[in-house]
Amino acid sequence: AWEPGDRGAAPVTGVGAGNGNGRAASLSRTVMQNQFTALAERINAGVTMLQRQCETDRRRLAQLEKKFEAKVSDAEKPDGRERWAEVQGSVSGLLEETQALARRLDGLDERLWARTSGSEASKQRNRELEQQVQALEQQNRLAAAAAEELQKRQATKLRRT
């Protein structure tokens, strides 16, 4: 069965190729496929943005760690209490910065999870809609067959009289 995201066009089903309902179903499938493709592109763009932001935060954290190590190595020199107090302040600042980055990463994880779980709900809704479309197409075919049978009966009845 055709799934959203498949390459190529959705399969065309219907009573006949010239049937208006077949074209409408094909058109609705194409529209749904385009909508889900657009949704997937938006989600991918969001994920890419979050990955870039996460990478930037990691680089910033690495810079801060290097800076911290440099300060600690400077503090080991015999400059005394002033230098130690400066290093202590730098450590406190780095700790706060690290905690802020950790909170920011947690927020990114939550947003990413919210976006990806939303796409699963969209896929499920798409499956449900596709099943409904298929059920309606089947009902339409049955109604058309019944109408043809009724027309044949009436034509036969008219010929007899």
Side-chain angles (χ1 to χ4, degrees), residues 3-139:
E3 288 288 326
D6 285 351
R7 297 287 183 203
V12 177
T13 59
V15 175
N19 188 350
N21 291 331
R23 278 186 255 139
S26 175
L27 181 60
S28 73
R29 281 194 181 126
T30 302
V31 168
M32 286 174 53
Q33 183 180 7
N34 289 342
Q35 289 174 344
F36 279 102
T37 300
L39 175 64
E41 288 174 1
R42 286 196 316 263
I43 289 173
N44 285 339
V47 168
T48 302
M49 179 197 66
L50 292 174
Q51 287 173 337
R52 272 194 235 123
Q53 193 172 12
C54 184
E55 192 59 39
T56 301
D57 290 344
R58 283 189 185 130
R59 283 193 299 266
R60 176 70 176 139
L61 183 59
Q63 288 173 349
L64 292 173
E65 286 175 347
K66 286 179 184 178
K67 195 175 186 181
F68 170 74
E69 289 172 5
K71 294 278 185 179
V72 168
S73 67
D74 286 346
E76 292 174 356
K77 295 179 182 174
D79 284 340
R81 293 182 184 178
E82 288 178 18
R83 199 73 179 126
W84 180 251
E86 186 180 327
V87 170
Q88 195 80 26
S90 295
V91 168
S92 298
L94 289 173
L95 181 62
E96 290 174 11
E97 185 81 22
T98 303
Q99 290 171 348
L101 286 172
R103 286 190 298 271
R104 189 171 175 188
L105 284 173
D106 288 341
L108 289 174
D109 285 343
E110 289 173 14
R111 289 191 306 195
L112 179 60
W113 176 252
R115 287 185 182 193
T116 56
S117 66
S119 74
E120 290 300 321
S122 296
K123 286 180 185 178
Q124 177 63 30
R125 179 68 180 143
N126 181 42
R127 280 189 224 108
E128 291 171 3
L129 288 173
E130 189 171 339
Q131 289 173 355
Q132 290 175 1
V133 166
Q134 289 174 355
L136 288 173
E137 286 175 346
Q138 179 66 25
Q139 288 175 356

